[in-house]
Amino acid sequence: MAFMLLPRRLACSFWHSHLLLVSGARHISQAAAKVDVEFDYDGPLMKTEVPGPRSLELMKQLNMIQNAEAVHFFCNYEESRGNYLVDADGNRMLDLYSQIASIPIGYSHPALAKLVQQPQNVSAFINRPALGILPPENFVNKLRESLLSVAPKGMSQLVTMACGSCSNENAFKTIFMWYRSKERGQRGFSKEELESCMINQAPGCPDYSILSFMGAFHGRTLGCLATTHSKAIHKIDIPSFDWPIAPFPQLKYPLEEFEKDNQQEEARCLEEVEDLIVKYRKKKKTVAGITVEPIQSEGGDNHASDDFFRKLRDIARKHGCAFLVDEVQTGGGCTGKFWAHEHWGLDDPADLMSFSKKMMVGGFFHKEEFRPNAPYRIFNTWLGDPSKNLLLAEVINIIKREDLMNNAAHAGKVLLTGLLDLQYLHPRILKHPVNMDLSTTPLRGDDNGDTEVIVEVMRAVARYPQFMSRVRGRGTFCSFDAPDDSIRNKLILIARNKGVVLGGCGDKSIRFRPTLVFRAHHAQLFLNIFNDILADFK
Amino acid sequence: MAFMLLPRRLACSFWHSHLLLVSGARHISQAAAKVDVEFDYDGPLMKTEVPGPRSLELMKQLNMIQNAEAVHFFCNYEESRGNYLVDADGNRMLDLYSQIASIPIGYSHPALAKLVQQPQNVSAFINRPALGILPPENFVNKLRESLLSVAPKGMSQLVTMACGSCSNENAFKTIFMWYRSKERGQRGFSKEELESCMINQAPGCPDYSILSFMGAFHGRTLGCLATTHSKAIHKIDIPSFDWPIAPFPQLKYPLEEFEKDNQQEEARCLEEVEDLIVKYRKKKKTVAGITVEPIQSEGGDNHASDDFFRKLRDIARKHGCAFLVDEVQTGGGCTGKFWAHEHWGLDDPADLMSFSKKMMVGGFFHKEEFRPNAPYRIFNTWLGDPSKNLLLAEVINIIKREDLMNNAAHAGKVLLTGLLDLQYLHPRILKHPVNMDLSTTPLRGDDNGDTEVIVEVMRAVARYPQFMSRVRGRGTFCSFDAPDDSIRNKLILIARNKGVVLGGCGDKSIRFRPTLVFRAHHAQLFLNIFNDILADFK
């Protein structure tokens, strides 16, 4: 029987997906796991259109003092809990965007609320130090409990920063200093270097570059922006550096079905990377480093294979360039590993890795050879914020204690499988046409794992090729493409009014960025709602 | 009598200064004002050398994970109160540097401690929003209570940011967008602009520049760093932009005694500014804006006259350049006005003003004509931090309620007068030689305001021209020059071991950056200690 073709381990997921998609067999949310009950709601609750009247009034007020056109709605964070964001009009929405992927363990987590109110922690919130010169006594310990406990392989060194852009800016600076120091060898700074740098000139300010990828997003300050190529509105009118920009692989999804095409595309891009390094060295704009996201996020959730990244790392080493992985959006456990680049299985670790968002504070890890040779070279007044380290230590504690990375892997699989079921898959699937009568076919996962025909049925029954394509994801870090930005934006608006907050990325993608307390039942709840939206979409 | 020459309003200050400096007539601290008693200590208390053994051990630990050579010592912020910083070894020091000028109202202020512990505020600390899309319901109100209540003249628009560098980076971007929009006129973005900006090329990324001053410090990210010219170690090895750098006036102090020389020097610099604007326009690197600090801080506490800044503002207007005032270090009340540039009395307000540090959060104000014409142009994930707005609202409330700006003016006058007394003033003063017998002269301020002879006596008695020159200041924002960096650094170290934390700036200056709860009696306490240090200095 064709039932044999489906791996058993997927049977359950498909069974759930199936339930979602067959009309009349709606999924009923499981009771939330005990640990969530305290602070999660049991579903969306909508009272008004979103934005409602209160949000609209506040938007008008905010717009008096700044361009507030990007505001979606105003929020009542006091009432927001777990996966649910409550707005200023009392609407409660399942939040799959979580403040542009920056909320680690849901809203109003009771452990964090407790931490803030403990008298011994108050000082951290009201006495913000200049960390580079006068750190608090518990600074090293708190770093050990928080960031150092999740240090990526090979990187023993850590600098904290206040945000993602500053993290990348300072990682770039660290790269430039490292590269110049290699060139300089044993000698110290020359008089000419010391003088020329003061007036922005070489040799003190060398004409180095950072190689980035088309579609990348590394931040919006001027250094970062020279490596950001996601949307024109981020970059237009801002002066930039002439730094090399390589094509990022434009892959077909699901990756495993288009392996050969994708390999060719990745090889093309890697070749271009090497060509650019040579070309820019010739034009005296030496590539000191390469920066890349494990999944291009703002640029449209563009994936590449683990093999691509391993080869890219090799190219960096071969040409003496630093290899910086930007995990600002991918880091923190949502891909099922703490850092997305851990999926690659690098033999030689990356040289630097930046983070922010779900880590609550920015910064970057790096190898010891990238350590600045003098104080005050990587420095600013605050260098992060110990009150965020304090919160992060508790967040990481909870991630470990509640096994939230495995939860992300599991909930992500449910989400991805459900999304795959909603989309019209690859034509190859259609080689197995199934003409079963759904009303008489027993629709259940069975112990033989023999569910492929059922899956095929589902794909034949419930698919929305007109709305969804290129479903892709790792952990809960999932996405799909809508046909165009207008339908994408419309889907986001409809979903919001049905009680689900989604985010867009790239030209026409919808990205999923739930928190780490997003469970399988939240995925199922979303899939139910979204199925209805697609079924009704006009 | 010569007594008549001294303005009466200064008599009291000089009288205090006198007490400080006459051996055997040591000042005894006044009882602190009631409002401080709750949370300020009554003096330094030293138990070990600084850094002590605990700090040294922690420095070793921190140095394992980052270059920790800039660390002065580790702190016990829980025990720090008001103007006193307590270190990890239990040493209590009068802090005149206040975390590089970033603590507004002293350590562990009870009002802030209370605020953090109030249940209704907990959410702000644990639910950090993406402010640009999902602001909290109370966002506009908190901005009104905090930043908007101190908005500088003419600037109705406000954007918050996480730190000073991001504030300036985004202020620069706002300037570039404004300038390009003027050039573009009514038309929208062209196809060529939209495409070329994605690859860092003109016309999408125009070759605009920001004019800055030698000695300036505007931050350390790549855009900011192109306008920073304070120390080589900040800039060396980092690529930069070819942007124009004008000389900043090198004035003689006290300003009022060298008016003519200083005017000539300022005229020379202003002429150079205009020349550079013309020169850079010719070489197609149009100056879109000028950025300047009211007092160059990191660069050595370099002042210029109010007239200089008024003329600079006029030049900016004349050439169509934006005028950005960087108040990251000078803002927040320490000069006796909330923003230092309010001293200038500009008819036409500045176009933009950036802030951070004592404001607890970064950002910039700007005129309405600088408003971006579309959403997401000035944007990042966090755009500041509402938990800091919450604290700042209370800080500003306290500044107003306790009249802390006038306190800064008053305490600053005591400090400056005392510093002037410690230094050997201008030779002109010596035209009034005084040979009084101090032991028999009645040394008191009198109701006639006739104290000049006494002042002259003090200057003859207690002066340290070998250690101090160029005393200068506005409010508590004071400084002086040591003969060289070695003596400067030695003075800072000695002071620290006597229980006073000082900071350096420029090549050989010592800068004073106390908090706003620094009172006249703290100034007197410092002057006593410092007088002893200078008297014993070898």
Side-chain angles (χ1 to χ4, degrees), chain A residues 31 45 47 136 233 262 298 404 439 509 516:
Chain A
L45 183 67
K47 298 179 173 173
I233 198 72
N262 288 344
E298 304 298 317
L404 293 181
S439 61
S509 303
L516 296 175

Side-chain angles (χ1 to χ4, degrees), chain A residues 77 134 158 184 220 237 379, chain B residues 66 77 134 220 237 379:
Chain A
Y77 288 103
L134 296 163
L158 169 64
R184 192 179 279 125
R220 291 160 169 273
D237 295 351
F379 189 88
Chain B
Q66 58 184 225
Y77 288 103
L134 296 163
R220 291 161 169 272
D237 296 349
F379 190 87

Side-chain angles (χ1 to χ4, degrees), chain B residues 154-170:
Chain B
M155 302 189 212
S156 62
Q157 304 293 298
L158 169 65
V159 183
T160 51
M161 289 284 157
C163 73
S165 281
C166 285
S167 306
N168 281 325
E169 289 273 343
N170 282 281

Side-chain angles (χ1 to χ4, degrees), chain A residues 166-177:
Chain A
C166 285
S167 305
N168 281 325
E169 290 273 344
N170 281 282
F172 293 177
K173 286 174 65 175
T174 302
I175 289 171
F176 294 133
M177 284 156 39

Side-chain angles (χ1 to χ4, degrees), chain A residues 105-121:
Chain A
I105 54 166
Y107 297 105
S108 306
H109 198 290
L112 300 185
K114 191 174 155 196
L115 183 148
V116 172
Q117 292 187 290
Q118 277 166 341
Q120 71 269 28
N121 293 329

